[in-house]
Amino acid sequence: MTAQLNPRGDVAVLVPAAGAGVRLGPGRPKALRLLAGEPLLVHAVRRLAAAPSVHTIVVAAPTAEVQAVRELLAPVAPVIVVPGGAERQASVAAALAAVPAGPTIVLVHDAARALTPPELVESVAAAVRGGRDAVIPVLPVVDTIKEVDAGEVVLGTVDRSALRAVQTPQGFRRSVLSAAHAAAGDSLTDDAGLVEKQGVAVSCVPGSEYAVKITRPFDLALAEHLLASAD
Ligand code: CTP
Ligand code: MG
């Protein structure tokens, strides 16, 4: 069976979806929790599959749910499903290993950012296609940020004009991400961090409010509201 979307696309998207969702509270793995009646992963994959540059989607699923995830996604889009790892980075590495020959751009996208619009996928991919080695979507930081000591006493105020909140999808020239994973040591929560360690320049593009990561129950409620008000 072929797991290809647009055969002329140049982008493979890796979707780490193997996390437990501890911060969301007790229940199924986060990617399988329901948002407006459908699992978060279904929302995420449907939006990725709607991005015209996407050739292949590889999902790293919770080990016990690989077959269930294959069946869940079969009607949504042709995807490759592999077992994820104990850490996010291991899940990304497992998905990267399953990318077929062809795509020259690899995006890494959290299943938990279920409402990310296809336009953001395209804008990250376009920046890599335009010659950047690594591209991340970012938003300005809106809150005042304080640095504190171990006793929660303020040490100082950080200049927020130079700070950015980072989202996914993060995009890479395929060879750059492969080299960074081959050399990877400590587990990081963000893939751009791996390539930064290799001395690769990472560029920013404007992110999207809809690419918020669903982490806590409040985020799920917010996402429900966003979906309802988008109709
Ligand atoms: N992820 C993964 N493999 C892991 C851990 C995380 O594929 N071993 C994925 C999650 O499924 C999620 C993304 O990485 O799509 C971002 O992680 P996070 O938001 O922290 O999700 P969880 O780890 O599931 O949540 P928590 O940390 O609250 O348990
Ligand atoms: Mg986590």
Side-chain angles (χ1 to χ4, degrees):
M1 193 199 81
T2 168
Q4 197 172 283
L5 285 113
N6 174 9
R8 288 210 289 276
D10 57 359
V11 173
V13 189
L14 317 181
V15 185
V22 170
R23 288 169 289 179
L24 211 45
R28 300 204 69 196
K30 180 159 72 179
L32 300 175
R33 301 282 270 269
L34 300 185
L35 165 61
E38 292 185 301
L40 291 180
L41 183 59
V42 168
H43 288 277
V45 166
R46 188 182 292 129
R47 285 163 178 77
L48 291 171
S53 297
V54 175
H55 174 285
T56 297
I57 296 173
V58 184
V59 173
T63 312
E65 306 280 356
V66 170
Q67 196 49 37
V69 166
R70 277 194 190 116
E71 285 163 22
L72 178 71
L73 294 178
V76 180
V79 296
I80 298 168
V81 183
V82 299
E87 305 281 341
R88 183 183 179 284
Q89 188 176 306
S91 297
V92 173
L96 182 59
V99 177
T104 53
I105 297 170
V106 177
L107 268 48
V108 185
H109 182 53
D110 294 328
R113 297 182 191 272
L115 299 186
T116 301
E119 291 76 15
L120 186 61
V121 176
E122 288 300 316
S123 89
V124 170
V128 178
R129 197 175 294 122
R132 309 293 178 140
D133 280 334
V135 176
I136 58 175
V138 301
L139 290 179
V141 173
V142 290
D143 292 316
T144 296
I145 305 288
K146 303 280 187 191
E147 187 182 3
V148 298
D149 67 12
E152 291 289 308
V153 174
V154 171
L155 295 171
T157 304
V158 181
D159 175 13
R160 90 179 162 209
S161 67
L163 298 180
R164 301 290 179 269
V166 178
Q167 303 179 321
T168 76
Q170 301 189 353
F172 306 91
R173 205 145 53 76
R174 182 174 181 170
S175 55
V176 167
L177 187 64
S178 297
H181 267 272
D186 296 346
S187 216
L188 295 179
T189 55
D190 125 289
D191 306 282
L194 281 183
V195 310
E196 281 162 42
K197 282 191 170 181
Q198 301 300 109
V200 173
V202 177
S203 304
C204 299
V205 296
S208 164
E209 306 276 7
Y210 285 88
V212 59
K213 183 156 73 74
I214 296 170
T215 304
R216 301 180 196 87
F218 177 84
D219 306 320
L220 199 53
L222 178 67
E224 294 268 4
H225 182 75
L226 286 172
L227 265 182
S229 61
D231 291 337

